[in-house]
Each structure stands twice: as C-alpha cells, then as structure tokens.
Amino acid sequence: AGAAMAAVREVEIDPEGTFKYILVRLQRPGGEEQRDIVRGTKAAEFHNHIFEKVNPEMEKLGYECKCLGGGKIDHNSKDKKIRVFGLSTGYGKADHSVTVEILKKVYTDYEITWSDDKK
C-alpha cells in the first residue's frame, strides 16, 4: 500500500501562470497512512473542479480524499519562483505553509513563498 501511495505524485501544477490550487489529504479507508498532495491548474474555473478531477482518480487507487482548503499559485518558471496566496470560497484557505513544504520537495531550486494576500 505504501508503494502505491508513493506512486501518487505529491505535486501536479501548471508549469506557468497564476491558477487555483487545492491541498488534498489522501487516506486509506480505515488505515493510518495519509499523505497531503497539491493540485492546481488554469483549466479549473473553480476549486471544486480540481477536486472533482482528483477524487475519482484517487478513489480508483483506493484512497479517500479530503480537501483541506485552497488558494492560488503564481508559478514563474523563468525566474524559478512560486508564490502561494489567496483562498478558496468553497473549501476555505489551505494551510499555505504546508503547501510550500510540499512544493519545496519537488521544486528544490525554486524560491517559494506564501502570504494571506488575496491577490
């Protein structure tokens, strides 16, 4: 089971631009094992659109998903900078500090910051 969870990418975000993101907690039903993942894309007009895509994918792998909140990501791949900010009206504000820690695992050479700014 651990291997399957490890196979789930921690971060899937657009390579460029400003877009909505959500922080999702994966859990095995009845199990202790859990993991938080970050998903964000410009294709999503609303935060729940991201969740509606992630949830079935994760259910197929045997996970229960819970959205821990959302916000926005500003991804500048040229300058290697990511800014995490804002909130989700439907899910509330994700803990951006958690999001940043997850992003740092993947974007190791980036400057990654967060704030509670709306824009």
Side-chain angles (χ1 to χ4, degrees), residues 5 14 18 20 25 37 49 54 59 74 78 91 94 98 102:
M5 195 173 262
D14 285 1
T18 304
K20 291 182 167 69
R25 175 155 292 163
I37 61 171
H49 293 169
V54 174
E59 280 181 345
D74 182 17
K78 190 168 74 71
Y91 295 122
V98 172
I102 296 170

Side-chain angles (χ1 to χ4, degrees), residues 4-20:
M5 195 173 262
V8 175
R9 285 195 296 189
E10 277 177 299
V11 177
E12 281 183 22
I13 60 171
D14 285 1
E16 190 65 44
T18 304
F19 44 85
K20 291 182 167 69

Side-chain angles (χ1 to χ4, degrees), residues 42-85:
K42 273 186 277 213
E45 191 183 346
F46 299 106
H47 286 91
N48 62 310
H49 293 169
I50 307 172
F51 189 74
E52 283 160 14
K53 185 177 173 292
V54 174
N55 199 33
E57 288 173 7
M58 296 305 147
E59 280 181 345
K60 276 189 204 129
L61 297 171
Y63 300 111
E64 289 171 348
C65 285
K66 182 182 174 208
C67 184
L68 302 177
K72 284 187 171 173
I73 287 176
D74 182 17
H75 188 174
N76 181 333
S77 56
K78 190 168 74 71
D79 295 341
K80 295 197 168 183
K81 285 184 179 174
I82 293 177
R83 189 169 68 98
V84 183
F85 64 101

